[in-house]
C-alpha cells in the first residue's frame, strides 16, 4: 500500500514537472516569437528586452546569444555585444551565425582586417551563403582595395546574380575608383533585384547628379521605406533637403548624424547629463553648446554663437584646444571650455572636464545643452532668416597680423592668393574632392603671389609645383599650420583672396572676413539652394565653384571658372561678385 502511494506521488511529481517544462517552453516560445517580431520591425529596445528574457530561460541557446549580440550591435552598445560574443564563443565552436555577428561588430568598430578574416572563415563553414561574400567584399573595400573588390565581385556575382548586396558593393568600389556616374548601373541593378536594400537605394541617391533632385530624394525615401531607421539615408536626405533650401525638414533628418549606431566609428556620445535644448525660451538660462565633428565644422557652425549669446543669460561653448583663445577673443561674452575626445569601442566620446568641474564647484549651472550644429535649426529655420555677414567673425591676434604683414610685404607688390588643394584626410571616399597642386599655376597670373595654406608635409608637392610650372608657392617652415590656427588667421588677414577645396582652411578664411572661393565637387549643403554659388551667410565675400559628379575629373574646367573671382579680388574692396 505504501509502495503504491509512493509510485503515485512520483507520477504526480513527474507530471507536474513535465507540465512546468511545457509551460516554460510555451513562455519561451512566446518570448522568442514576440522578440523576433520586434527584431523584424527594427524595434531594437523591445527586441532586446524580450530576447534577454528568453535567454534567461534558455541560457545555453547559442543562436539566441548570437541574435542578442546582434541587437546590441544595432543599439550601439558594442561593449556588451562583445561580452555576449565572448560568452557565445566560450560555449561552442563559432558557427556561421556567430561569424556574422563578429564580422559586423569588427566592421562597425573599424577593425576591417579582422572582419575580413572572420568572413573568410564564414565562407569556409558555409560556401553557399552569399551574405558572407558580400561582407568579405565590404571588408576589402574598407581597406581601400578597390580593384580587388571589383575583380572579386565580377567573379562571385555570376554564382549569385540575384544577391543585391554584391551589386551594391561592386557599385561602391566603382564609385570611388571610377566615379559616381559609372556606378549608377550597378546600384540600379542592386535595387532591381533587392528593392528592400536600403544601402543600395541610399548609395544610388548619392550618385545621381545634383540637378536630379527629385530622383535623389525619391531614392532616399525608398531607402527609408526599406529601413525606416537607416541612419545614413536620413542623413543623406537631410543634406539633400538642406542643399535644396528646404531647411525645416532638412534639419530633422540632419540630426541623425549624432546616432551612436552609425558605422565606421562616426557615432558621437556626449558624456554629460544636461537636458537637450529644443527651442525653449533662453531668457535667464544657461546653455552649453557642445562642439562636434571636425575643427572646420566647429568654425562653420560657430556662426550661431552671436545669436545664442543674445538669447541666453549665459553661453558656455566647448571647442578644440587650438580654438580656445580665438573663441575667447571673438566671443568675450561666452564662457569657453576645451573639450576632451576619446575613441573607444567604436564610439567617439566627447566631454569637458573643465565644465564638469565648474558645475561641481557651483560656478556654472547648465539649464540646457545642444550640439552646435543642431542649434542651426532654431537660428536658421528658413533661408530668409540667414543674414549675410560682412564683418569678420573671428578676431586674429594683432601682433601676429603685423608679423605676417611684414613677411608678405617683403615679397613685393602684387595680388596675394592663399591656396590649398587637399584635406589632411585623403581616404578613398574623399580623394575625388581634391585637385593636383600643379593646377594652381593657372591662377597665378603676372603679378600674383601664391601663399601656402596647406597644412601637413607639403615639401614634395611644393617642389613638384616649382619644377612643373617654374613658379613658387611661398611657404614658411617655422610655422605649423595644422597646429597654429592663430597663424592661419593672421596670414589670411593679409591676403586678397583664399582659394581651395571644401576644407577647414576655407572656413578659417571665411570667418576672418577675407574673400573666399571654394572649389568642390558638387554642391555643399550649406549653400542652402543658392543657385549662384554664393553662401547666404557670406554672400558678398564667398563663392562656391563646383563640377558635376558625372564628370569627376574636370578640375581643369573648375580652375578656369575660378579665374574671374580671383581677378575680382584685385579691386581692393574685398568683395567677390
Amino acid at each position: 500500500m505504501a509502495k503504491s502511494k509512493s509510485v503515485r506521488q512520483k507520477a504526480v511529481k513527474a507530471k507536474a514537472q513535465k507540465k512546468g517544462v511545457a509551460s516554460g517552453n510555451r513562455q519561451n516560445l512566446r518570448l522568442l516569437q514576440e522578440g523576433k517580431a520586434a527584431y523584424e520591425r527594427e524595434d531594437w529596445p523591445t527586441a532586446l528586452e524580450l530576447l534577454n528574457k528568453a535567454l534567461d530561460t534558455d541560457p545555453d541557446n547559442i543562436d539566441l546569444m548570437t541574435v542578442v549580440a546582434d541587437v546590441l550591435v544595432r543599439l550601439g552598445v558594442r561593449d556588451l555585444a562583445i561580452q555576449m560574443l565572448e560568452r557565445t564563443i566560450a560555449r561552442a565552436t563559432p558557427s556561421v551565425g556567430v561569424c556574422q555577428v563578429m564580422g559586423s561588430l569588427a566592421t562597425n568598430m573599424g577593425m576591417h582586417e579582422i572582419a575580413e578574416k572572420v568572413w573568410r572563415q564564414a565562407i569556409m563553414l558555409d560556401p553557399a551563403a552569399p551574405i558572407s561574400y558580400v561582407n568579405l567584399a565590404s571588408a576589402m573595400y574598407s581597406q581601400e582595395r578597390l580593384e580587388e573588390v571589383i575583380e572579386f565581385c565580377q567573379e562571385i556575382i555570376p554564382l549569385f546574380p540575384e544577391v543585391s548586396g554584391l551589386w551594391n558593393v561592386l557599385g561602391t568600389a566603382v564609385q570611388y575608383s571610377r566615379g559616381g556616374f559609372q556606378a549608377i548601373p550597378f546600384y540600379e541593378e542592386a535595387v532591381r533585384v533587392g528593392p528592400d536594400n536600403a544601402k543600395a537605394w541610399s548609395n544610388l541617391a548619392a550618385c545621381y547628379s545634383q540637378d536630379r533632385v527629385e530622383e535623389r530624394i525619391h531614392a532616399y525615401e525608398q531607402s527609408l521605406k526599406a529601413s525606416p531607421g537607416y541612419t545614413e539615408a536620413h542623413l543623406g536626405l537631410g543634406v539633400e533637403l538642406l542643399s535644396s533650401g528646404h531647411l525645416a525638414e532638412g534639419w530633422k533628418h540632419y540630426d541623425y548624424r549624432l546616432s551612436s549606431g552609425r558605422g565606421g566609428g562616426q557615432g558621437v556620445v556626449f558624456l554629460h547629463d544636461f537636458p537637450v535644448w529644443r527651442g525653449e525660451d533662453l531668457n535667464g538660462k544657461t546653455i552649453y553648446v557642445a562642439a562636434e565633428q571636425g575643427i572646420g565644422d566647429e568654425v562653420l557652425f560657430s556662426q550661431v554663437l552671436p545669436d545664442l549669446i543674445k538669447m541666453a543669460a549665459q553661453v558656455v561653448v566647448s571647442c578644440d584646444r587650438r580654438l580656445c583663445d580665438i573663441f575667447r577673443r571673438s566671443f568675450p561674452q561666452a564662457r569657453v571650455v576645451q573639450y576632451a575626445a576619446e575613441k573607444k569601442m567604436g564610439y567617439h566620446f566627447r566631454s569637458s572636464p573643465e565644465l564638469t568641474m565648474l558645475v561641481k564647484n557651483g560656478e556654472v549651472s547648465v539649464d540646457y545643452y545642444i550640439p552646435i550644429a543642431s542649434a542651426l535649426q532654431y537660428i536658421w529655420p528658413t533661408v530668409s532668416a540667414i543674414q549675410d555677414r560682412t564683418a569678420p567673425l573671428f578676431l586674429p591676434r594683432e601682433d601676429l597680423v603685423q608679423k605676417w604683414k611684414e613677411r608678405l610685404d617683403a615679397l613685393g607688390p602684387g595680388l596675394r592668393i592663399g591656396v590649398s588643394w587637399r584635406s589632411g584626410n585623403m581616404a578613398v571616399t574623399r580623394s575625388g574632392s581634391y585637385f593636383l597642386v600643379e593646377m594652381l599655376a593657372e591662377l597665378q597670373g603676372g603679378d600674383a603671389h601664391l601663399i601656402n595654406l596647406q597644412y601637413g608635409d607639403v615639401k614634395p608637392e611644393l617642389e613638384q609645383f616649382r619644377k612643373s610650372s617654374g613658379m613658387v608657392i611661398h611657404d614658411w617652415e617655422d610655422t605649423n599650420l595644422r597646429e597654429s590656427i592663430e597663424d592661419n588667421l593672421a596670414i589670411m588677414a593679409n591676403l586678397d583672396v583664399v582659394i581651395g577645396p571644401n576644407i577647414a582652411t576655407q572656413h578659417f578664411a571665411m570667418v576672418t572676413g577675407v574673400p573666399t572661393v571654394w572649389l568642390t565637387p558638387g554642391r555643399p549643403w550649406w549653400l542652402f539652394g543658392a543657385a549662384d554659388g554664393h553662401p547666404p551667410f557670406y554672400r558678398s565675400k564667398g563663392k562656391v565653384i563646383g563640377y558635376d559628379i558625372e564628370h569627376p575629373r574636370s578640375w581643369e574646367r573648375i580652375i578656369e571658372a575660378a579665374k574671374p573671382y580671383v581677378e575680382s579680388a584685385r579691386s581692393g574692396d574685398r568683395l567677390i561678385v
Side-chain angles (χ1 to χ4, degrees):
M1 188 74 167
K3 184 177 180 180
S4 176
K5 183 178 180 181
S6 175
V7 169
R8 283 199 305 272
Q9 287 175 339
K10 290 181 179 179
V12 170
K13 184 177 180 181
K15 185 176 181 180
Q17 289 175 337
K18 185 175 181 180
K19 184 177 180 181
V21 170
S23 175
N25 287 340
R26 285 195 298 271
Q27 180 184 8
N28 199 49
L29 180 61
R30 178 182 61 80
L31 290 170
L32 286 171
Q33 290 174 338
E34 293 179 1
K36 180 181 178 182
Y39 184 98
E40 290 177 347
R41 67 174 181 268
E42 300 184 4
D43 181 357
W44 309 123
T46 301
L48 181 62
E49 180 182 1
L50 293 167
L51 295 173
N52 261 332
K53 289 180 179 178
L55 192 60
D56 288 340
T57 63
D58 190 6
D60 295 319
N61 189 322
I62 301 300
D63 291 335
L64 185 53
M65 290 183 206
T66 303
V67 175
V68 170
D70 183 33
V71 173
L72 288 167
V73 171
R74 294 174 186 275
L75 284 168
V77 191
R78 299 185 181 106
D79 51 344
L80 295 181
I82 288 176
Q83 293 177 20
M84 181 60 68
L85 285 175
E86 290 174 344
R87 175 181 167 186
T88 304
I89 294 170
R91 291 172 183 256
T93 301
S95 63
V96 173
V98 172
C99 286
Q100 288 176 348
V101 178
M102 290 177 63
S104 297
L105 184 60
T107 298
N108 287 336
M109 297 178 67
M111 302 162 63
H112 303 300
E113 292 183 5
I114 293 176
E116 180 181 350
K117 293 177 181 178
V118 171
W119 294 122
R120 291 190 184 279
Q121 182 178 9
I123 290 171
M124 291 177 63
L125 291 169
D126 185 3
I131 187 62
S132 298
Y133 295 94
V134 174
N135 290 322
L136 173 57
S138 297
M140 292 192 294
Y141 162 78
S142 297
Q143 298 172 65
E144 302 190 4
R145 290 152 52 190
L146 303 187
E147 293 304 320
E148 283 186 61
V149 173
I150 292 171
E151 291 178 9
F152 177 78
C153 288
Q154 288 173 334
E155 178 183 349
I156 298 301
I157 283 177
L159 303 177
F160 306 102
E162 298 300 310
V163 175
S164 177
L166 286 169
W167 289 104
N168 180 59
V169 178
L170 175 58
T172 306
V174 171
Q175 177 182 351
Y176 291 109
S177 63
R178 302 170 191 178
F181 184 63
Q182 285 76 13
I184 288 176
F186 303 108
Y187 289 138
E188 290 181 334
E189 183 64 11
V191 299
R192 186 192 70 79
V193 300
D196 59 346
N197 188 330
K199 289 184 178 180
W201 278 113
S202 184
N203 290 337
L204 177 61
C207 283
Y208 283 140
S209 59
Q210 291 191 318
D211 60 339
R212 300 168 68 174
V213 175
E214 292 184 4
E215 290 171 273
R216 288 165 68 94
I217 291 177
H218 171 74
Y220 281 127
E221 289 174 342
Q222 289 297 114
S223 177
L224 293 173
K225 180 180 178 181
S227 179
Y230 184 39
T231 300
E232 299 308 314
H234 276 290
L235 183 55
L237 179 57
V239 168
E240 185 62 34
L241 291 168
L242 291 171
S243 66
S244 301
H246 304 292
L247 273 60
E249 190 65 23
W251 292 129
K252 296 176 184 178
H253 292 281
Y254 188 63
D255 264 352
Y256 277 81
R257 74 194 182 281
L258 299 170
S259 171
S260 62
R262 291 187 69 191
Q266 299 179 86
V268 179
V269 178
F270 293 102
L271 299 179
H272 52 250
D273 188 23
F274 305 130
V276 177
W277 183 53
R278 303 191 186 280
E280 296 92 342
D281 184 2
L282 290 177
N283 186 37
K285 304 293 184 180
T286 295
I287 184 169
Y288 168 48
V289 184
E292 58 168 298
Q293 303 183 53
I295 192 169
D297 301 291
E298 290 183 54
V299 171
L300 176 64
F301 301 144
S302 69
Q303 295 178 88
V304 304
L305 294 177
D307 292 277
L308 290 174
I309 288 169
K310 292 177 183 177
M311 296 165 63
Q314 184 178 31
V315 172
V316 180
V317 58
S318 63
C319 62
D320 186 287
R321 61 177 177 76
R322 295 168 290 177
L323 292 173
C324 284
D325 286 343
I326 296 169
F327 270 41
R328 292 186 182 109
R329 189 167 57 247
S330 304
F331 310 110
Q333 305 95 327
R335 189 150 196 168
V336 179
V337 295
Q338 178 182 328
Y339 72 73
E342 181 183 13
K343 187 174 181 181
K344 184 179 180 182
M345 306 297 292
Y347 294 107
H348 284 287
F349 292 99
R350 286 284 178 96
S351 64
S352 175
E354 183 180 350
L355 176 59
T356 299
M357 187 59 65
L358 290 172
V359 171
K360 182 179 180 179
N361 294 339
E363 297 180 53
V364 172
S365 178
V366 176
D367 298 292
Y368 300 107
Y369 103 93
I370 192 165
I372 191 167
S374 294
L376 290 167
Q377 62 191 297
Y378 305 110
I379 306 303
W380 293 344
T382 63
V383 175
S384 60
I386 304 174
Q387 300 296 314
D388 182 19
R389 181 180 44 74
T390 56
L393 184 65
F394 283 12
L395 302 178
R397 276 175 43 187
E398 293 183 3
D399 61 320
L400 287 179
V401 172
Q402 181 60 34
K403 165 189 168 182
W404 284 103
K405 180 180 183 304
E406 293 171 1
R407 285 190 171 187
L408 295 174
D409 284 349
L411 299 178
L415 193 69
R416 298 170 181 174
I417 307 173
V419 294
S420 56
W421 51 92
R422 60 171 170 80
S423 169
N425 177 8
M426 289 297 287
V428 64
T429 53
R430 304 181 68 182
S431 58
S433 299
Y434 311 114
F435 51 89
L436 298 175
V437 63
E438 287 88 341
M439 292 184 179
L440 293 170
E442 297 295 319
L443 297 174
Q444 187 163 21
D447 63 344
H449 302 289
L450 298 183
I451 311 300
N452 179 50
L453 297 175
Q454 181 65 58
Y455 49 84
D457 182 10
V458 296
K459 285 183 180 179
E461 292 163 284
L462 297 183
E463 179 61 19
Q464 178 61 35
F465 177 82
R466 186 189 65 78
K467 289 180 178 178
S468 64
S469 68
M471 304 174 186
V472 174
I473 297 177
H474 298 283
D475 183 53
W476 286 263
E477 293 186 3
D478 63 350
T479 302
N480 185 334
L481 292 172
R482 183 191 296 275
E483 180 65 24
S484 178
I485 310 305
E486 293 278 19
D487 277 295
N488 275 268
L489 303 186
I491 293 171
M492 292 169 181
N494 286 284
L495 300 179
D496 296 297
V497 63
V498 171
I499 187 166
N502 185 18
I503 60 174
T505 302
Q506 299 303 100
H507 297 325
F508 297 158
M510 181 263 294
V511 295
T512 308
V514 63
T516 306
V517 178
W518 287 264
L519 308 180
T520 176
R523 183 179 62 239
W525 63 265
W526 41 260
L527 271 178
F528 301 119
D532 60 3
H534 292 280
F537 49 83
Y538 204 52
R539 173 163 295 280
S540 57
K541 292 189 177 183
K543 174 69 178 180
V544 175
I545 303 174
Y547 63 85
D548 193 271
I549 197 169
E550 294 185 8
H551 306 93
R553 298 294 181 261
S554 302
W555 278 113
E556 292 83 0
R557 181 175 65 83
I558 192 173
I559 295 290
E560 184 67 26
K563 289 181 180 180
Y565 299 98
V566 173
E567 287 300 314
S568 72
R570 295 180 185 275
S571 64
D573 57 8
R574 296 177 73 81
L575 300 178
I576 289 183
V577 295

